[in-house]
Amino acid sequence: MYDINKVREDFPILGREVYKKPLVYLDNAATTQKPLMVLDAMRDEYLNVNANVHRGVHYLSQQATDLHEAAREKVRRFINARKIEEIVFTRGTTEAINLVAQSFCESQMQTGDEVIVTDMEHHSNIVSWQLQAMKRGIVVKHVPIMDDGLLCLDQLEALITEKTKMISVVHVSNVLGTVNPVEQIIKIAHAHDIPVLVDGAQSAPHFKVDVQAMDCDFFAFSGHKMYGPTGIGVLYGKEEWLEKLPPYQGGGEMIDKVTWEKTTFERLPFKFEAGTPDYVATHGLAKAIEYIDSIGFEAIQAHEQQLTKYCMEQLLTIPDMHIYGPKDTSLKDAVVSFNVGDIHHLDMGTLLDRLGIAVRTGHHCAQPLMDRLGISGTVRASFALYNTKEEIDALVAGIRRVSQMF
Ligand SMILES: Cc1ncc(COP(=O)(O)O)c(C=O)c1O
């Protein structure tokens, strides 16, 4: 276990007040706060290094390029990818999924071919495929979930046909916290020669991801949900798949040679990185990974699991509390979604906010999941490595207070 007070000093924003109340920040699934180490590194790069990467012969450009490419190597190690060629920088999870959806459907799918997702996807892993359905007539199918928020894994096989060309699943649900058995899903998919994309937006910040051990074909995540800056994310893709996919966007950086007659493309991963990359953000992401490494996932996971368990126990002492997702905290991760009686989630969230408590309310970009649960939304508390039991006590006291007002 680590010294939580010392950790909190790395995040000055946690010491601020809102409405003259100490801030209790429990909206980490939306975005995490950034440690000084990340902010200082990015400021320092703008102050002392700033120059466009890859194309400059001058000192600053080379230094910025070195930082940018060192970040790629840091990301490679973070998820244990085989090669840096397999690490594509994107703006975030959303862009990473869109890249695969567009390039994969264009090159590997025909009208009538199928992609399978699940009932607990974030919109980014639904709409990206629906856009392709509209453009190319592919079919989007979805694996149902059980009432306890676990995937109906036995239904996956039944959905697979010879037209299934891709399975794209969320690793950890941003609403239910459910940790999906992706290794099992990948084994089933590969037995049918179907590649798998894993949406790791909510897993990469919380536990060690090993893409080789998992054997996924693609893995997407966002820097800003793991203590890094906004505007930077990662698409991991197995080299053999990335080689097969056409570029996602055209522009500088991604070409080998351009003539009016014919254009050839850069080698991996640059083929997928058109335009000036956010090279300061990649450096910030590398620092965020260093920060996580300095604490270690074992300690982070133990701390967050303890918080999740404590939060569930405490919430269940409140009358009319309904928690969504698995009750067994070993099957979920750092996210607790709930409603109290018929108090509207928006009312609950707004009144908690006046007490200084930041939670998320609404459909959490998962409207099909809300339909499945028969609700319009939930209140969501989500945790990071810097949250404390005292903050959960504040949340629970806040909910009791709000409940008494109704
Ligand atoms: C499970 C999941 N997938 C995808 C996303 C999209 O991430 P981003 O907005 O960083 O692209 C989110 C964001 O909340 C998410 O929770």
Side-chain angles (χ1 to χ4, degrees):
M1 219 29 105
Y2 48 90
D3 183 345
I4 189 78
N5 293 325
K6 215 156 158 282
V7 162
R8 287 177 72 85
E9 283 171 17
D10 296 331
F11 298 84
I13 197 171
L14 299 176
R16 69 163 289 181
E17 295 190 333
V18 291
Y19 309 110
K20 300 202 171 114
K21 308 265 180 358
L23 170 69
V24 175
Y25 186 78
L26 299 175
D27 193 18
N28 295 287
T31 200
T32 53
Q33 301 304 341
K34 323 299 172 200
L36 283 169
M37 185 170 149
V38 169
L39 302 175
D40 290 347
M42 291 176 72
R43 184 168 189 274
D44 184 61
E45 184 167 4
Y46 274 128
L47 276 177
N48 295 308
V49 182
N50 185 48
N52 207 333
V53 291
H54 293 144
R55 41 195 144 179
V57 288
H58 59 81
Y59 189 91
L60 289 188
S61 175
Q62 289 186 6
Q63 205 178 352
T65 303
D66 287 348
L67 288 175
H68 181 62
E69 291 306 320
R72 201 186 303 276
E73 167 58 18
K74 185 77 84 185
V75 169
R76 184 200 66 73
R77 254 187 287 146
F78 181 65
I79 57 170
N80 193 32
R82 228 171 265 116
K83 298 176 163 187
I84 51 167
E85 286 78 2
E86 298 180 320
I87 305 298
V88 178
F89 286 124
T90 64
R91 280 192 300 122
T93 308
T94 305
E95 191 181 44
I97 297 174
N98 274 274
L99 189 165
V100 176
Q102 186 171 309
S103 293
F104 189 90
C105 291
E106 183 186 328
S107 60
Q108 312 291 321
M109 291 177 86
Q110 318 271 336
T111 302
D113 280 349
E114 298 162 355
V115 55
I116 299 177
V117 299
T118 79
D119 265 358
M120 62 173 98
E121 300 305 325
H122 185 278
H123 291 161
S124 56
N125 199 27
I126 299 174
V127 185
S128 313
W129 300 105
Q130 283 179 331
L131 288 175
Q132 297 305 317
M134 286 181 233
K135 264 195 213 159
R136 301 178 211 279
I138 68 154
V139 178
V140 184
K141 292 166 137 187
H142 43 107
V143 185
I145 60 165
M146 295 181 273
D147 289 339
D148 60 3
L150 297 178
L151 207 57
C152 298
L153 198 56
D154 53 334
Q155 309 250 344
L156 174 63
E157 289 257 24
L159 286 176
I160 294 174
T161 71
E162 77 269 13
K163 285 185 175 287
T164 309
K165 295 288 155 54
M166 168 66 82
I167 295 178
S168 189
V169 292
V170 69
H171 199 174
V172 174
S173 160
N174 63 315
V175 178
L176 308 168
T178 311
V179 182
N180 281 318
V182 285
E183 288 84 357
Q184 241 175 305
I185 294 169
I186 290 163
K187 276 207 181 89
I188 295 170
H190 285 177
H192 295 267
D193 284 332
I194 302 165
V196 177
L197 184 157
V198 175
D199 170 355
Q202 300 295 345
S203 58
H206 299 292
F207 53 84
K208 177 73 193 161
V209 167
D210 181 332
V211 290
Q212 289 191 66
M214 195 193 293
D215 201 23
C216 57
D217 300 277
F218 302 97
F219 186 87
F221 62 101
S222 299
H224 71 98
K225 293 182 193 288
M226 46 175 280
Y227 316 104
T230 49
I232 194 72
V234 174
L235 170 68
Y236 156 80
K238 279 185 183 164
E239 190 181 22
E240 54 266 38
W241 274 118
L242 292 182
E243 287 290 5
K244 279 188 218 165
L245 302 190
Y248 170 57
Q249 293 175 328
E253 304 260 349
M254 51 76 74
I255 50 89
D256 169 39
K257 186 158 176 53
V258 179
T259 64
W260 290 119
E261 291 73 37
K262 183 178 162 64
T263 290
T264 51
F265 305 119
E266 254 285 30
R267 63 188 197 281
L268 291 176
F270 308 110
K271 177 173 89 170
F272 293 108
E273 295 181 351
T276 299
D278 195 340
Y279 52 84
V280 177
T282 55
H283 182 44
L285 175 61
K287 289 290 163 187
I289 292 174
E290 257 175 54
Y291 187 81
I292 289 173
D293 285 346
S294 73
I295 296 175
F297 266 130
E298 216 175 299
I300 293 170
Q301 206 180 356
H303 177 72
E304 291 177 350
Q305 276 287 326
Q306 216 176 44
L307 290 179
T308 308
K309 191 160 182 287
Y310 182 67
C311 183
M312 300 265 286
E313 285 163 5
Q314 294 305 304
L315 287 182
L316 287 171
T317 65
I318 296 172
D320 293 330
M321 171 61 63
H322 188 98
I323 299 178
Y324 303 92
K327 300 286 171 288
D328 178 351
T329 48
S330 70
L331 302 173
K332 73 185 280 158
D333 200 78
V335 174
V336 182
S337 271
F338 59 91
N339 276 314
V340 183
D342 53 11
I343 303 173
H344 196 276
H345 43 88
L346 186 59
D347 292 334
M348 178 62 82
T350 307
L351 292 165
L352 286 174
D353 176 52
R354 302 304 292 198
L355 301 171
I357 302 163
V359 290
R360 199 73 161 182
T361 65
H363 55 63
H364 314 294
C365 297
Q367 284 178 342
L369 175 58
M370 296 299 121
D371 290 344
R372 164 63 182 85
L373 298 172
I375 53 178
S376 65
T378 75
V379 184
R380 181 184 74 184
S382 52
F383 313 118
L385 54 83
Y386 41 66
N387 288 122
T388 64
K389 273 185 159 184
E390 290 71 27
E391 288 180 308
I392 289 169
D393 290 338
L395 170 71
V396 172
I399 297 168
R400 279 189 196 286
R401 212 167 134 188
V402 173
S403 303
Q404 280 157 11
M405 293 162 70
F406 282 83

